[in-house]
Amino acid sequence: MKNVSELKGYFNFHQQGRVNFEDLLSSFLNCRVNIQIHKIEEFEKGMGIDITSNIMRNCYTWGARKDEIIIVPKVFSNDHNVLAILPIRLSGPGIHTFPQKYLDRITKAISVCLTECAKSRFQNSTTIFGPEFEFIIIPYCLTSNSKETKKFSYLVSLISKLSRTTFESNEFSTAFIYTRSGHEYSRNIRSGTLLRLKNTYNILKAVGIDKRFWYLCDGIYSAYIINNNFEITSMYLRDGTSHGFLDGYSWRYTLQGADILFRVTGLNQISIIDSDGIELCFSENKWKIRNYNTIINIIEENSGIAHEVVDALISNIIFCSQNKISSIIWLPKNIEKISDFLVKEEMHFKRPISIKNSQNKSIVERIISSDGVSIIDNIGNIIAHGSIVSLNKVDNKGLVGTGESAAKLLAHNGVAIKISQDGNIKVLYSNGEKMLIF
């Protein structure tokens, strides 16, 4: 079996498309990407895995490294035989926590692109592994049936147009659920009610974007229901029962089976989420995939924070990210030693402010969005805010005085979370040596 690097014209991909591909995949999966161009026999021997005996397998774990996996996209012939493979090592915190089906689907999408490139001896690799790549990989992530990717491409295109739409010069949120189980919504099985429309709205026949129609649902408590024929006959209204932020954000008690929620969360901001709670989000002109179990596990394992606090914490992290608010949140494991890292601790209130108390929502958002570090203990109390980090009190190994450097320093005691104005979320832990970009 050949490596793709042995095919004619591969040098064109190496020179033109490879950098784009690695950057896009790295950003999408929040991991390091290392393309393997060795002969397959040498690669198998070095890694201790057997790829050729099960050539259609897409994903492998590698030895004892839980934060590293290998995907194996392929180049197919016209009669669907495998001509060559291109092993890719993906490494980073939480990469192993993605459900197998997503890694399989992503690998299939890469295979489609490589196969198309190989037909032209990779001369079109810059285009295919440029802007076109995201329009291929996102629909593939939404279905295991390759024949349905065109359908999902249309739905992704629709939600993209809606994310750029304003109503009376203001941005607005909106949403729709694609489902094959509309009867379950009509029978109130999904913990909500349906509001029937007078007329059926067919999104394929619609001319342009009907702003008034889409403005009516908010994507928080309401969403249109789209059936397999791309028809909208109802708006779904969630009940007001609170199951916590993450359950509400992911519509956990609504989405089931193959249901997918497409949602506009802000201007040029998109969230696509399935019944597993895996989210594809678009912000700052980039797509990324988020598995909330990953960030929850890292925070709980490295900070000692109580499980019931994590939900409220994630709520505030997402608030900052979606509103492009810069913030540093510190979850120290040893409260008694926090002064070792700070020049100044500040607290305006006589008692701590609990992030778990919904009555404190507004003040908590103001606190974490103000200057300085917000410090939260393991039961969810803000014990200090507006704090200033001293980079001189701990050996910072040459770090400069930036927000990320401060977060790396704080991660010597627990977990530090840095949210940037571009919406990026960085979770630093293990003495600042590990970082999850979420």
Side-chain angles (χ1 to χ4, degrees), residues 156-167:
V156 172
S157 175
L158 173 60
I159 200 67
S160 296
K161 291 175 183 177
L162 288 170
S163 75
R164 299 189 296 270
T165 302
T166 58
F167 182 72

Side-chain angles (χ1 to χ4, degrees), residues 2 39 60 71 93 132 165 195 207 215 221 230 236 313 341 356 358 362 383 411 424:
K2 288 184 177 180
K39 288 184 179 294
Y60 296 82
I71 59 172
E132 289 186 14
T165 302
L195 191 61
V207 179
Y215 181 75
Y221 296 104
F230 281 16
Y236 173 75
L313 177 65
F341 297 81
K356 293 189 297 180
S358 59
S362 178
I383 57 175
N424 267 345

Side-chain angles (χ1 to χ4, degrees), residues 283-310:
S283 181
E284 293 294 317
N285 296 314
K286 287 184 178 181
W287 283 97
K288 64 174 58 180
I289 187 168
R290 282 177 171 171
N291 182 357
Y292 286 91
N293 289 328
T294 301
I295 189 171
I296 289 171
N297 291 338
I298 287 174
I299 289 173
E300 289 184 352
E301 291 174 6
N302 294 277
S303 70
I305 194 170
H307 180 75
E308 60 270 17
V309 177
V310 176

